[in-house]
Amino acid sequence: SFATLNLAAGERSIQSSAFIPALSYLKVGLSMLKRNELFSSELYDTSLRLFSSIAETELVNGNTGEVEAAAAIISKHALRVIDTFPSQLSLLKAYSAHANYDKVISIGFDLLAKLGVRFPKSAGIPTIVRDLIKTKMSLRGKTDEKLKQLPNMENESKVAAMRMLSFLYGKCYIARQDMMP
């Protein structure tokens, strides 16, 4: 369909860092879908990829409001939490660009909770020591070589959680040092 062709052109333009043409392709692709086709079972993936790519492109173009709009549409229609991840990450990057770290941290930890990762409200010394001991116990007897031979993480929710944790670390260091070890 024309929507899929425009999606492919938009994604290719993003890969080439041609964000303004990418946005044009993506919006044309979106306009090719009827309202009742958006997020329908046949066009779910196409709709999701169009809106996620629009969020990413609007982020690069500096349009935080448009990133928010695309992320909101995805959040409303997504079948799984993991489907919202790319647009939510674009949204958090947009907020981060405006130094809105408290909002970034709040939304980021809410998303982590939805992905099944729970954190205490603050990391006091007892919590840190307890978790350090747990980690040492689980790593006892494992050499660097054994750890290197472990299979790659393939659970997409866990991979997304790791990406989110990595993204949030610097923001917590700046705005919420009480969360830092």
Side-chain angles (χ1 to χ4, degrees), residues 43-59:
L43 294 171
Y44 179 79
D45 186 57
T46 301
S47 301
L48 184 65
R49 287 172 48 206
L50 278 165
F51 278 105
S52 293
S53 295
I54 286 171
E56 180 183 355
T57 306
E58 293 289 15
L59 164 69

Side-chain angles (χ1 to χ4, degrees), residues 21-47:
L23 188 58
S24 295
Y25 288 124
L26 296 167
K27 287 189 173 184
V28 168
L30 194 58
S31 73
M32 297 288 166
L33 298 177
K34 295 180 181 124
R35 191 167 179 80
N36 65 336
E37 291 177 325
L38 284 175
F39 294 97
S40 65
S41 57
E42 316 73 59
L43 294 171
Y44 179 79
D45 186 57
T46 301
S47 301

